[in-house]
Amino acid sequence: MTYPYADRFEVHRQLPEEGVERDAVLGELAAMAAAEDPTWESGQCSGTMYCGDHDHYDFLNRAFAHFSHVNVLQRDMCPSATKFEAEVIAMTLDLLGGASLRGRPGGLVTSGGSGSIAHAVLAYRDANAARTRRPNLIKPETAHPAFTKAGHLFGVEVRVAPVDPVTTRVDLDWVAEHIDGDTVALVGSATNYGYGTIDPIPELGALALEHGVGLHVDGCLGGFILPFGRELGEPVAPFDFAVPGVTTISADTHKYGYALKGTSVLCFADTALRDSQYFYQTDWSGGKYCSPGVEGSRSGGLLAATWAAMVHLGRSGYRRYARAIFDTARAMRATVESHPSLRVMGEPTFLFSFTSEEYDVYHVNDFLRTRGWRLNGQQYPNALHMAVTRPQTQPGVVERWREDLADAVAYAQAHRDEPARSGAIYGGVAGGWSDEADEFIRAVMAEMMDEQLAVPPGL
Ligand SMILES: *Cc1c(COP(=O)(O)O)cnc(C)c1O
């Protein structure tokens, strides 16, 4: 992946002295997009392209274009941003059981799931600053690394609760035993990223209330699809603000909200918690400064496009897509279950994950790759996950899955005594974070960010 496209397009190590013509620039961009889109348009890529509908993207891009140059920090110049943000938050709260809240609910629109989780962790830390200087939160092992990242950034200890190996839901006894005077919040996922399962939110809520701590529900993935699944009669365990004790929920508009990448909503049962993490500096020579979250300047275009996605799709649009996704997930999962050597992890929803006790399931991945499938690999135990999105709901994808998975299982059985190829990716880190693994990961990241390219030769 080093120097991608160096064989086709000029590599820019410096600003070109004379700018490249617009048409030429746009031509290069179009060529790269045209080369890359087919990797997911086939419907064989798990997650990431939640909508995958170019008509919808064109519509969002037009909405974006009207405000792409606007910085929403300058609200006097763009009252529209206040309308977009407030309505995105209000519609999301409404979707997530906000009607059952008695306080003053509110929210923040952030840059993504990690941003929403970070702001939640920051709010819990700051709201409890008078009570503890050594705050901790408790997350299930299956909860997203964004919680650990936020803990790292903001000095909040993250206690990792084990999950039941069969149901993949958090061990409530462990959580109860590890709450102490410095605990500021518990975490549950609806659904978690790895297995697509939902933690026991009502039980976590009861624990949170009993101990006077917060409960963040990570609905980054499920927030915009589970409410519609429930409406359609799918078995969706309670997870939203209707559950007593839930104090914050994150829901990613840039996933099943079908908005552009770069937005997510963090909902608060009570704005007092949100308001505890505002930042302001009133004595700066540059003027009095305040911002609602970690970001400074934010894009008016993204707010407008997010708002446009929600208002345009409406409940019926989201419900229609949810219907197709849940049906497709059920069919794909049934295919997995038809193979006795494969086992689905827990009771998943629109996303499922499977492992094998007979062979390394990465053999299955090795084979599926040769047929153009892109599943996500997991560990402890090795498993593969498929987050079903709109591209999988196209005609023919479920049938292709049936054929290719059958061939992949046969391949895995035939190669069970050899090490799997895609499993080797984890080889460097399988034994924990050794010094070599640390170096390896830094090297991979540097290559991805193209450090070599950014530094002019000879410097
Ligand atoms: C995607 C995801 C996140 C993180 O979101 P980003 O948008 O990638 O920052 C957090 N939690 C869950 C469950 C997710 O699926």
Side-chain angles (χ1 to χ4, degrees):
M1 288 296 277
T2 322
Y3 299 92
Y5 297 106
D7 56 333
R8 291 174 66 182
F9 302 119
E10 187 180 345
V11 174
H12 296 281
R13 289 177 193 278
Q14 298 174 319
L15 276 176
E17 179 55 35
E18 298 301 332
V20 180
E21 289 298 328
R22 282 178 183 164
D23 281 349
V25 172
L26 292 172
E28 269 187 40
L29 294 175
M32 287 187 264
E36 295 169 13
D37 280 344
T39 58
W40 58 265
E41 284 169 337
S42 63
Q44 295 184 202
C45 169
S46 167
T48 191
M49 299 296 170
Y50 295 86
C51 179
D53 172 342
H54 285 290
D55 269 357
H56 183 70
Y57 291 149
D58 289 345
F59 163 68
L60 297 184
N61 290 334
R62 280 164 63 197
F64 178 80
H66 287 295
F67 298 95
S68 57
H69 47 285
V70 169
N71 174 7
V72 305
L73 210 52
Q74 319 287 349
R75 283 300 164 95
D76 56 321
M77 296 171 68
C78 55
S80 56
T82 300
K83 172 181 165 69
F84 300 147
E85 187 152 39
E87 292 184 13
V88 165
I89 292 166
M91 289 186 282
T92 308
L93 270 164
D94 178 60
L95 205 58
L96 297 174
S100 46
L101 293 170
R102 279 179 303 278
R104 266 191 344 111
L108 287 172
V109 177
T110 72
S111 60
S114 301
S116 288
I117 288 167
H119 283 87
V121 172
L122 185 60
Y124 286 115
R125 184 194 78 177
D126 287 359
N128 290 283
R131 180 162 71 84
T132 173
R133 290 275 150 195
R134 299 169 51 244
N136 69 70
L137 63 81
I138 305 178
K139 76 161 194 175
E141 193 283 325
T142 46
H144 198 275
F147 292 98
T148 307
K149 185 196 273 186
H152 165 74
L153 290 172
F154 301 138
V156 175
E157 181 199 344
V158 177
R159 299 183 175 171
V160 179
V163 301
D164 181 290
V166 174
T167 66
T168 75
R169 289 156 49 116
V170 70
D171 179 339
L172 288 163
D173 291 337
W174 197 99
V175 174
E177 280 162 24
H178 288 79
I179 298 173
D180 62 21
D182 296 317
T183 301
V184 293
L186 311 180
V187 172
S189 305
T191 71
N192 56 55
Y193 168 83
Y195 302 129
T197 51
I198 302 176
D199 283 309
I201 304 299
E203 289 81 357
L204 286 170
L207 274 179
L209 287 173
E210 183 190 331
H211 294 274
V213 301
L215 171 57
H216 179 84
V217 173
D218 182 7
C220 282
L221 200 55
F224 280 94
I225 186 166
L226 291 178
F228 299 104
R230 183 174 52 203
E231 247 179 77
L232 292 163
E234 296 291 333
V236 172
F239 71 95
D240 65 13
F241 285 120
V243 176
V246 174
T247 44
T248 47
I249 305 180
S250 48
D252 287 356
T253 33
H254 73 186
K255 290 182 180 160
Y256 292 99
Y258 312 118
L260 292 177
K261 284 285 185 263
T263 61
S264 168
V265 183
L266 172 60
C267 294
F268 291 84
D270 199 301
T271 44
L273 180 59
R274 175 192 66 184
D275 298 352
S276 63
Q277 54 87 56
Y278 291 148
F279 178 83
Y280 44 88
Q281 182 180 351
T282 52
D283 62 352
W284 181 39
S285 60
K288 297 194 192 313
Y289 182 93
C290 58
S291 61
V294 172
E295 289 92 7
S297 299
R298 287 191 299 145
S299 162
L302 282 179
L303 274 186
T306 304
W307 178 88
M310 295 175 75
V311 169
H312 169 64
L313 290 174
R315 296 191 74 98
S316 66
Y318 282 105
R319 207 164 36 233
R320 190 165 66 246
Y321 295 160
R323 173 79 284 157
I325 288 171
F326 272 91
D327 287 348
T328 303
R330 187 178 298 105
M332 292 181 77
R333 175 184 162 184
T335 302
V336 173
E337 287 167 342
S338 73
H339 293 282
S341 62
L342 298 177
R343 177 171 68 83
V344 170
M345 307 289 292
E347 267 306 314
T349 47
F350 52 87
L351 176 165
F352 60 87
S353 163
F354 57 96
T355 184
S356 174
E357 266 103 55
E358 272 184 35
Y359 43 77
D360 184 351
V361 79
Y362 277 96
H363 282 302
V364 172
N365 201 33
D366 287 347
F367 183 87
L368 287 175
R369 282 176 168 201
T370 68
R371 297 271 174 96
W373 292 91
R374 186 179 182 279
L375 273 64
N376 300 85
Q378 295 167 260
Q379 48 186 345
Y380 321 125
N382 283 1
L384 300 176
H385 106 175
M386 181 78 205
V388 178
T389 59
R390 287 194 59 213
Q392 278 83 57
T393 66
Q394 301 172 89
V397 177
V398 170
E399 289 70 17
R400 233 177 296 146
W401 173 247
R402 205 169 287 146
E403 284 169 27
D404 293 344
L405 187 64
D407 292 346
V409 165
Y411 171 91
Q413 278 162 338
H415 292 79
R416 62 199 302 165
D417 297 328
E418 302 157 25
R421 269 179 287 131
S422 50
I425 293 169
Y426 282 122
V429 296
W433 292 86
S434 63
D435 286 349
E436 303 92 274
D438 209 50
E439 231 164 76
F440 171 74
I441 285 167
R442 278 176 213 279
V444 170
M445 295 298 284
E447 184 169 307
M448 188 168 87
M449 307 305 291
D450 260 328
E451 200 171 73
Q452 314 93 311
L453 204 57
V455 180
L459 280 191

